[in-house]
Every structure is written in C-alpha cells, then in structure tokens.
Amino acid sequence: MDFALAYFLSCFITCMGVLQVASVSSRTKYLRLFGPPLLRKTLGIGFIIIALPLFFLTGDRVLSDHEGGLDANQQAGIFTFAALISYLLTAIVSQFVWKSKINSSVLEPFRSRIYEYDSGELTFIKLQEKNWTDFKHLIIGRFNS
Amino acid sequence: MDRLQAFDYWAFQLINSFAGRFDELDFVLATVASDFFIPVGFGLILLHKWFSGTTSVQSIGNQKIVLLSLINMTLATALVFILNQWFFRERPFSAHDVNLIFYEPTDSSMPSNFAAGTMALALPFLKIGLKQTIMVIVMVLIGSVSRICVGIHYPFDVLSGFIVAILAIPITLTIGKYTDSVQHHTLRIARRLIPT
C-alpha cells in the first residue's frame, strides 16, 4: 500500500476512535456512532489500537522523505485532512443513525441578529445549511450597506 | 567545552548501547522514534482536547490550549530553523561508529527538531493541570530518548531542543495575549462549523 495512503487511513481510523471517546461528553452527543458510553469508549480505544499495527506492521515506516516517506508539512496536511473527513463522516452518519441533534447550549454563543434557530431542531447538516445561508446574508448585507 | 562534549558522547554511547541487541526491541525503538508515532499521538490528544469539555467555559479553555500549543510548536520549530542557518552539528552516525537502526537524517543534529516541536506542543498543557502535563511530557521524553537510542541524536541535542521549546513559551504567551480577540473570533467561527 502507498505510504501516504496507509498514513491517511491509520490517521482516519484513529481520529474516528478519538471522536468516539470524545463523544462521551454531553456537549458532543451528535458525534456518537454507538449507544452506551462505555461501548463508545471501548470501541474508540479499539479503533486507535487497530490503526497502529495497520500502519506500522504493513511495511517499512521508518523512511525519510527522500526515500518515499513524508515530510513534516505533508504529515500535518494529511493528518488534518484525515481528522476533518473523520469528523464529517462521524457527524453525518450519527445524524442518520440516531437522528442526533446538536445540544442547544453548545450553540448558545452563536445567538445573534443574523442567526436564529429553534433549539432542539438543529442537526449537523441543518446547522451547516444555516451557516451557509447566514454567510450569504452577511456578504450581501456588506455589499448593500 | 571538550569535557561537555566528552560527557555528551559518553551518555550517548550508554543510551545507544540498547540498540542492536534484539530485533523486537529495535523495532519498538524505531517505531517510537519515528516521525509518525509521537507526533500523531500529539495530534490525537489535541483533537480530543478540542472536543472534550463539559461546560462552555471549559471547552473554550481547551480550544485555546490547542491553539497555544500549535503556535508554540510553530515558533519552536522556526527557532530551530533559524539556529540551523548558522549552527550545524554532525549527526552521531557521521562522526562515530554507532548502532544505527534508523534512516540517516541530513539536517543538523543540534538542536533536536523533534524534541523542540513535541516539547513545545506539551508545555501549554501546564495551563490545564499538572497531571495531564506530566502525561504528555513523559510521552515527549520517551520519544526523545528513543531518538538517542536509535543513533540519530546526542543527549545535548535533545536537551537544547527542550530549551528552545521553553524559550518559545514567553513569546507564545505574548502572542496569545495580544491576539486574544483574533483567537476569540477564530474559535467562534470554528465552533459554528464544528460545534463543541
């Protein structure tokens, strides 16, 4: 398997695991993929443990960037991309599996003139739709004023 | 100076003598010393920190720590880069006969980029609590000592890397202080997209 792809996959799986561990907190309930908190925590740690051998035991990983490895910038970029994809996938899958809503107290700091929402009604996708609408209104408002 | 260098080499030989004895131990040492194990571990800790927090205040505090860690790491590695422009120290394997179980890096041995970067990521955790700081600093120490074990750094390289990370802290805190409103707005936008 290609070095960068193996690195991406292992980062993606570990990030999924970390998000499941983090979803134990009541503020990130919309990230849960499984029911009981203990199961989420156990499976999250399991994901992390599985991803390590997946990367380190499937080829020579002690390589410099001149020999087919990755330099620091590539590593950081791939890790960030993997974290973002794992976050989006977790949030979207969780929304469809559990119909999970974003806790209204989490959104409290965003109450503003341009941002109105019905608490308890907002899913992850609805929030992003709302963000996009607000962004458009904000930009149009700037041009009109 | 010669005595310091002699002590550095003696300590290096002592730590490096663990390498090349057992294949299993070599594999573990090379894995821990690799550019992926500890850095990815830190990435995961920061990711967890971003999403953890039971109250809004705690959540914002954690996210500010993540930002500070990243700023501090950027500063520390930038300082290493600047130092390397006028100071170059050969790697141990270039100057001596060592047990090398790692690839041969070509950049300066001193200060250790790895030690400076990871320690710089760990130090802002002091703002949260001693228990978590000790945990991440132990991670940094394990990673840094393993890089001496595999034969690519002298102990003083690692030590100077730690000093660079510590020197970056006052600059980071100053930047943090003067960019508080920027951080606030950045976090506000981030939380709108990624609610926590």
Side-chain angles (χ1 to χ4, degrees):
Chain A
M1 193 191 293
D2 180 55
F3 196 96
L5 183 65
Y7 180 63
F8 170 79
L9 284 177
S10 70
C11 285
F12 173 75
I13 296 169
T14 48
C15 287
M16 292 278 279
V18 166
L19 289 176
Q20 286 316 294
V21 175
S23 73
V24 172
S25 158
S26 60
R27 295 179 67 79
T28 46
K29 265 184 182 169
Y30 73 101
L31 290 175
R32 59 186 185 154
L33 289 177
F34 310 98
L38 185 67
L39 181 67
R40 289 205 295 276
K41 215 169 184 173
T42 313
L43 284 171
I45 293 167
F47 277 0
I48 298 166
I49 293 170
I50 286 168
L52 286 175
L54 191 73
F55 180 69
F56 286 105
L57 298 178
T58 52
D60 184 12
R61 304 305 180 199
V62 184
L63 289 175
S64 78
D65 48 331
H66 307 294
E67 298 163 334
L70 299 168
D71 67 26
N73 296 328
Q74 287 170 323
Q75 277 178 51
I78 292 174
F79 181 86
T80 310
F81 183 61
L84 195 69
I85 296 290
S86 66
Y87 169 76
L88 288 173
L89 192 77
T90 305
I92 291 166
V93 170
S94 168
Q95 179 183 319
F96 288 114
V97 173
W98 297 95
K99 310 268 184 272
S100 54
K101 307 281 193 303
I102 295 166
N103 190 344
S104 59
S105 71
V106 171
L107 299 168
E108 201 57 40
F110 309 133
R111 267 194 198 282
S112 69
R113 202 159 42 83
I114 62 154
Y115 195 79
E116 295 295 331
Y117 65 89
D118 299 323
S119 54
E121 286 294 313
L122 222 54
T123 59
F124 178 74
I125 289 176
K126 285 259 182 248
L127 173 68
Q128 303 310 329
E129 281 174 5
K130 196 83 182 138
N131 279 334
W132 175 242
T133 312
D134 287 349
F135 179 69
K136 277 195 294 190
H137 286 170
L138 187 75
I139 296 293
I140 293 165
R142 285 278 155 93
F143 279 109
N144 288 341
S145 64
Chain B
M1 196 69 180
D2 286 345
R3 288 180 77 174
L4 270 179
Q5 272 189 342
F7 175 76
D8 196 20
Y9 181 53
W10 173 79
F12 167 78
Q13 279 182 310
L14 190 73
I15 300 169
N16 183 237
S17 65
F18 290 101
R21 289 187 184 182
F22 308 101
D23 287 346
E24 294 79 9
L25 183 64
D26 286 354
F27 175 76
V28 172
L29 286 172
T31 301
V32 175
S34 78
D35 302 335
F36 304 97
F37 193 78
I38 302 285
V40 168
F42 263 104
L44 297 175
I45 289 172
L46 294 181
L47 184 70
H48 183 265
K49 204 92 237 141
W50 186 276
F51 286 99
S52 62
T54 46
T55 62
S56 177
V57 175
Q58 201 181 25
S59 230
I60 293 167
N62 285 347
Q63 287 163 6
K64 281 196 170 177
I65 294 294
V66 173
L67 283 183
L68 276 183
S69 284
L70 294 175
I71 293 170
N72 200 38
M73 185 204 64
T74 310
L75 269 173
T77 48
L79 283 175
V80 171
F81 178 77
I82 293 164
L83 284 170
N84 285 348
Q85 298 305 304
W86 55 271
F87 179 80
F88 186 89
R89 188 186 194 190
E90 278 191 341
R91 295 273 177 175
F93 54 79
S94 304
H96 306 282
D97 189 20
V98 304
N99 298 320
L100 184 67
I101 52 168
F102 206 75
Y103 68 83
E104 296 183 3
T106 50
D107 56 338
S108 176
S109 188
M110 185 187 245
S112 163
N113 211 353
F114 178 94
T118 50
M119 186 55 101
L121 279 172
L123 285 176
F125 278 74
L126 276 166
K127 279 189 120 181
I128 303 176
L130 199 61
K131 203 175 152 188
Q132 287 183 44
T133 313
I134 289 171
M135 194 189 84
V136 288
I137 284 181
V138 166
M139 253 176 81
V140 174
L141 289 176
I142 291 171
S144 301
V145 170
S146 68
R147 286 178 87 89
I148 304 170
C149 272
V150 299
I152 57 166
H153 277 302
Y154 292 104
F156 278 8
D157 301 343
V158 168
L159 211 61
S160 56
F162 291 164
I163 292 167
V164 168
I166 292 166
L167 289 176
I169 274 284
I171 309 169
T172 303
L173 291 178
T174 310
I175 291 172
K177 192 180 160 190
Y178 287 104
T179 57
D180 198 48
S181 62
V182 177
Q183 285 179 50
H184 180 76
H185 285 297
T186 310
L187 289 177
R188 200 179 142 87
I189 294 166
R191 283 202 302 274
R192 217 180 217 237
L193 299 167
I194 303 171
T196 47

